[in-house]
Amino acid sequence: MSEPQSAPDAGPSDRPRRLKPAQLLFEPPEAVADPEHFFDLESIEDPRELLARSTELALAFRAAADRATEFQAVAAAQLADPRRFDRLSTAVIAERAEWSEDYAKKMVEFGRDLLRGGGTDE
């Protein structure tokens, strides 16, 4: 299996992004309520261990973000498929995903490439 591919560059947007982080379901609710708590990193006192663990988390989140972006691209390509009776224009896809229309076009193409099997090696 290869590394996940990064999404096309988004470029500047005319409107600010309203990103709401996904709820981290595997953290206990009391830990999520504490703004200082983050995967128990605050309790690690050894800087070597802290660097190792925080690096693991950063890489895991990066891989998860790349994978989620691939799913966004596949969904965009499926929604834009001309064979669908309910197909959406790239403008509508862009609005729903809070992307620019140019980025939506790139994501549709990226998704089509993934659907053809050109983007990942499973």
Side-chain angles (χ1 to χ4, degrees):
M1 189 162 143
S2 70
E3 293 276 328
Q5 289 188 347
S6 295
D9 291 332
S13 176
D14 293 342
R15 58 190 151 125
R17 298 275 308 195
R18 296 176 312 230
L19 295 177
K20 179 180 175 188
Q23 183 180 7
L24 301 173
L25 301 176
F26 45 87
E27 282 208 280
E30 59 275 1
V32 174
D34 178 4
E36 295 299 315
H37 180 84
F38 189 72
F39 292 91
D40 211 25
L41 293 177
E42 69 284 349
S43 68
I44 300 174
E45 294 182 18
D46 178 9
R48 287 179 208 82
E49 185 181 343
L50 179 59
L51 179 62
R53 180 67 180 130
S54 60
T55 300
E56 286 175 356
L57 283 170
L59 292 173
F61 283 125
R62 192 173 301 134
D66 286 347
R67 190 70 176 130
T69 300
E70 289 176 354
F71 278 103
Q72 283 183 307
V74 166
Q78 290 172 333
L79 289 169
D81 188 336
R83 296 172 296 185
R84 289 178 62 106
F85 76 93
D86 60 345
R87 91 177 265 239
L88 299 178
S89 68
T90 53
V92 172
I93 293 169
E95 182 180 335
R96 288 187 180 190
E98 298 183 10
W99 296 332
S100 70
E101 191 169 353
D102 286 341
Y103 186 72
K105 289 175 185 175
K106 290 178 183 179
M107 287 294 279
V108 167
E109 288 305 313
F110 181 50
R112 287 177 178 154
D113 187 45
L114 290 170
L115 289 169
R116 284 191 297 269
T120 60
D121 297 326
E122 298 283 337

